[in-house]
Amino acid sequence: MSEPVPGSVVGDVHSTLGRPLFNPVLKVWVGEGKLDYEVYLKTSDLLRLQTPRSELVSPDELMFQVVHQVQELWLKLLAHELAEMVGDLDGDGMWEVSARLDRAGRIIRCLADELRVLETLTPDTYQVIRRHLGNGSGQESPGYNAVRVAASYVAEALDRLLARRGVTLAEIYVPGGSPELKRVCELLVDLDEGYQTWLFAHYMLVRRTIGVGRDVEALDGVPTQVLVGRMTQPLFRSLWAVRNQLTVGWRGEGGFAPGTDRGDVRVSA
Ligand code: HEM
């Protein structure tokens, strides 16, 4: 038997995958877009959204495109959850708020983890793909913009909640403050930390694919160095500011040197 011509088998595999496939369990053809699963999830449309193999500038371009598309979907979902959260906060639905924040936190962790797939793109391959991206900027990402706008509405809804309860943010972080409100604020901080962790993961991705520096320009001409300052810009500024406020506000009065009597601040047995 003669050896297959290099490249011909892989071509055959891709051709097979591009046609409907017979599922031996259900005994139906999958991939024609007619089954309930395919109709409900619009898989025909979804799977047509990627550049066909014959037009890819590198086999890795599919990964590049898929990771970006999936990130947009997760960001869309995250923005949707944040918008719903405004209603939960305005309706004083504390369980709903915490449940939704739990979900939002899981989504943002997925976003950061997923970027690790794209980290397998080596700089030389990215240079090939990059030539076909026009002058696009990450700032043009619809999902990124939606998350930032939705989060600003959440921040306003949190302010309204605090106003209804007659407390300031600083007051919920003092002994005797509202544990319920403090829990919500801490979950929002978790989400914000996750968001910034995603931006940091993106920064590391940029650093290893194109490099970070004042002389390294993104496709829109912006030096990649700008990412250093942007990745720590939070979604909920006041929740970070209150930490500074608490620390700056303590001037050392009532302090005890290590080893001396701790006064009346000890946890009771
Ligand atoms: C190899 C892959 C990637 C490279 C080389 C890259 C490169 C860059 C660069 C150089 C910037 C700063 C300049 C600008 O705003 O255009 C940027 C910003 C951005 N990128 Fe990417 N990126 C990659 C993947 C991704 C992915 C998968 C996403 C997911 C949506 C993404 C989202 C963003 C966002 C939202 C910004 C704006 C962030 C900010 O300004 O703080 N990028 N990217």
Side-chain angles (χ1 to χ4, degrees):
M1 211 170 93
S2 60
E3 288 292 310
V5 181
S8 69
V9 177
V10 69
D12 289 349
V13 175
H14 283 295
S15 304
T16 302
L17 297 181
R19 291 192 291 268
L21 302 172
F22 188 73
N23 179 292
V25 176
L26 301 175
K27 306 206 182 340
V28 292
W29 287 92
V30 174
E32 291 172 331
K34 295 177 185 158
L35 304 172
D36 282 358
Y37 180 97
E38 299 174 299
V39 171
Y40 178 73
L41 292 174
K42 303 184 174 59
T43 50
S44 294
D45 294 335
L46 184 65
L47 301 176
R48 249 199 303 271
L49 296 177
Q50 295 76 44
T51 305
R53 179 170 181 261
S54 58
E55 293 172 29
L56 294 175
V57 292
S58 151
D60 284 4
E61 191 184 2
L62 183 63
M63 169 188 63
F64 181 81
Q65 206 172 43
V66 166
V67 174
H68 274 84
Q69 289 181 339
V70 172
Q71 293 259 306
E72 285 299 332
L73 287 176
W74 282 123
L75 289 166
K76 176 179 177 170
L77 178 60
L78 181 57
H80 169 82
E81 295 295 334
L82 290 173
E84 292 294 317
M85 205 182 295
V86 172
D88 298 335
L89 285 163
D90 282 342
D92 290 275
M94 292 298 109
W95 189 90
E96 287 82 354
V97 171
S98 70
R100 207 174 291 286
L101 278 167
D102 178 21
R103 182 182 299 167
R106 291 173 196 228
I107 295 170
I108 199 72
R109 282 192 289 279
C110 276
L111 273 152
D113 277 357
E114 236 166 56
L115 286 183
R116 311 237 25 213
V117 177
L118 205 40
E119 283 192 343
T120 61
L121 186 65
T122 54
D124 49 326
T125 307
Y126 181 60
Q127 290 298 333
V128 175
I129 296 172
R130 194 169 189 250
R131 290 183 172 79
H132 302 266
L133 301 178
N135 297 321
S137 156
Q139 284 282 337
E140 295 168 9
S141 154
Y144 169 78
N145 285 279
V147 165
R148 291 206 67 94
V149 170
S152 71
Y153 282 102
V154 169
E156 285 173 15
L158 177 67
D159 288 346
R160 288 193 291 275
L161 173 65
L162 296 177
R164 278 198 303 283
R165 304 277 175 105
V167 283
T168 65
L169 205 45
E171 283 165 357
I172 70 164
Y173 280 102
V174 294
S178 162
E180 189 184 52
L181 291 177
K182 186 157 77 173
R183 185 73 193 125
V184 167
C185 289
E186 289 302 286
L187 287 170
L188 282 165
V189 171
D190 281 346
L191 173 63
D192 207 341
E193 184 178 322
Y195 168 77
Q196 291 168 66
T197 302
W198 171 62
L199 289 179
F200 178 69
H202 171 268
Y203 166 80
M204 291 309 291
L205 171 67
V206 175
R207 198 173 176 189
R208 60 190 289 168
T209 45
I210 56 172
V212 169
R214 288 180 214 291
D215 55 342
V216 182
E217 288 186 1
L219 289 165
D220 56 357
V222 173
T224 54
Q225 187 71 24
V226 298
L227 290 172
V228 177
R230 288 189 193 160
M231 69 186 173
T232 49
Q233 283 178 13
L235 293 174
F236 309 111
R237 202 165 287 281
S238 62
L239 290 173
W240 300 94
V242 74
R243 287 152 157 78
N244 294 22
Q245 194 184 327
L246 288 172
T247 307
V248 172
W250 182 60
R251 296 276 166 221
E253 69 279 6
F256 297 90
T260 59
D261 185 1
R262 294 190 160 198
D264 58 1
V265 295
R266 280 166 296 195
V267 176
S268 52

